[in-house]
C-alpha cells in the first residue's frame, strides 16, 4: 500500500455561494431594502472585529455569471463557529432574498511532502501564518474544487510517496512563477465535502489567474491526475461598496 503523506491543518473554511432574487428585492420598499443592507453591513463589520483579534478571517465577493451573485469565504478555528456564522446570516433580512447555490466546507491544509524526517515545521511562525491566514483584500478571486484521479494507470493514490513528492515539487515551481501576482490558499475536504480539495486564488488582475491555471494543466500532476469542478470568479465586495451593489 502506498504511504499517505501527513498534512498540517489550520482554520476551518466555508465557501458560501448565494443567488440574489433581484425581482423580489426590487418589489421591497426602500425602507426594507435599506434596513436589510445596514443589517448586512453590521454582520460583516462584526466579523471583521474577529479578524482584528486574529481569531479568523473572511471576505465577500461579487460572483460574475449565472452560478451565484455573492460568495462569502469564512475561516474560523472551529466548525461550530462556521455553522453559527452561516445560521446568523440565514436569519438576516437580506438572506431572505437569496438562495444557496453552492457551498464548500474544508480546512486549510499544507502537506509535508517537502519536510525533512524528524523536523517539526508546523510550529514555525511562517507555517502558522499559512495555516491561519488573514485573507488578502485583493480585487479578484477564483475558486474551484478538485480531486486526484483514480483511473487504471493514472491512480494518484497508488503512487509511491517519493513519486508523488517529485510531481508536487515540479507543480509548485509553476506556481512560484506567479509570486506577487497571485496568492493561493489550498483547503482539504476529505470527509467534509464531495471533492478532495478547494483552491482559492487571489489577484489584482484577472489575467494572471487564467495564465496560471492554463500553465499548470501541463504539469504532469494535473495532466494525468487532476480532476476539476466548476470555477467561480468574482470581484471583491467591501462593507462600503455593499450599499451601491444592492441599491435599486
Amino acid at each position: 500500500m502506498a504511504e499517505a503523506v501527513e498534512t498540517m491543518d489550520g482554520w476551518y473554511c466555508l465557501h458560501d455561494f448565494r443567488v440574489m432574487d433581484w425581482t423580489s428585492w426590487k418589489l421591497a420598499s426602500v425602507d426594507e431594502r435599506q434596513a436589510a443592507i445596514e443589517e448586512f453591513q453590521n454582520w460583516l463589520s462584526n466579523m471583521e472585529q474577529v479578524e482584528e483579534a486574529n481569531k479568523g478571517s473572511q471576505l465577500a465577493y461579487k460572483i460574475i455569471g449565472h452560478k451565484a451573485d455573492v460568495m462569502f469565504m469564512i475561516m474560523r478555528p472551529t466548525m461550530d463557529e462556521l455553522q453559527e456564522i452561516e445560521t446568523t446570516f440565514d436569519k438576516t433580512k437580506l438572506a431572505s432574498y437569496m438562495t444557496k447555490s453552492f457551498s464548500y466546507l474544508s480546512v486549510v491544509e499544507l502537506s509535508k511532502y517537502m519536510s525533512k524526517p524528524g523536523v517539526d515545521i508546523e510550529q514555525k511562525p511562517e507555517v502558522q501564518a499559512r495555516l491561519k491566514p488573514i485573507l488578502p483584500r485583493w480585487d479578484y478571486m477564483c475558486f474551484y474544487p478538485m480531486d486526484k484521479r483514480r483511473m487504471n494507470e493514472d491512480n494518484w493514490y497508488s503512487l509511491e510517496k517519493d513519486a508523488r513528492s517529485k510531481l508536487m515539487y515540479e507543480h509548485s515551481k509553476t506556481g512560484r512563477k506567479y509570486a506577487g501576482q497571485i496568492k493561493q490558499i489550498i483547503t482539504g475536504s476529505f470527509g467534509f465535502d464531495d471533492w478532495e480539495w478547494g483552491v482559492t486564488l487571489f489577484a489584482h488582475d484577472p489575467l494572471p489567474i487564467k495564465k496560471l491555471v492554463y500553465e499548470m494543466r501541463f504539469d504532469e500532476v494535473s495532466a494525468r491526475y487532476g480532476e476539476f469542478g466548476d470555477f467561480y470568479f468574482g470581484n471583491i465586495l467591501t462593507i462600503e461598496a455593499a450599499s451601491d451593489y444592492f441599491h435599486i
Side-chain angles (χ1 to χ4, degrees), residues 124-233:
K124 290 185 176 182
E126 60 271 25
V127 173
Q128 283 295 305
R130 293 178 63 191
L131 292 173
K132 303 171 183 178
I134 298 300
L135 297 173
R137 264 65 179 165
W138 287 18
D139 299 316
Y140 300 99
M141 178 281 314
C142 173
F143 170 79
Y144 59 93
M146 64 169 293
D147 283 345
K148 286 294 195 296
R149 188 171 293 147
R150 305 175 191 78
M151 292 179 61
N152 303 322
E153 298 297 319
D154 299 332
N155 187 334
W156 178 257
Y157 296 96
S158 66
L159 286 178
E160 293 296 329
K161 182 180 177 182
D162 288 346
R164 284 181 277 125
S165 179
K166 181 180 178 182
L167 289 171
M168 291 302 295
Y169 174 70
E170 293 299 322
H171 191 53
S172 70
K173 290 197 297 184
T174 302
R176 285 197 292 270
K177 294 179 185 178
Y178 292 85
Q181 298 182 68
I182 292 176
K183 288 189 177 181
Q184 173 182 270
I185 294 177
I186 304 294
T187 53
S189 43
F190 291 83
F192 294 161
D193 221 307
D194 297 336
W195 295 80
E196 295 170 348
W197 290 278
V199 180
T200 311
L201 306 173
F202 301 93
H204 292 301
D205 182 339
L207 205 51
I209 291 178
K210 182 258 187 186
K211 291 181 179 294
L212 171 64
V213 173
Y214 170 73
E215 192 172 342
M216 280 189 160
R217 291 296 172 99
F218 291 91
D219 294 340
E220 186 176 359
V221 70
S222 294
R224 288 190 63 184
Y225 301 103
E227 299 281 359
F228 302 92
D230 288 341
F231 281 68
Y232 295 81
F233 197 92

Side-chain angles (χ1 to χ4, degrees), residues 84-101:
E84 182 179 352
I85 291 168
E86 182 184 20
T87 303
T88 299
F89 179 72
D90 286 341
K91 295 176 181 178
T92 64
K93 297 179 182 68
L94 186 63
S96 67
Y97 294 94
M98 295 179 170
T99 55
K100 299 179 183 181
S101 60

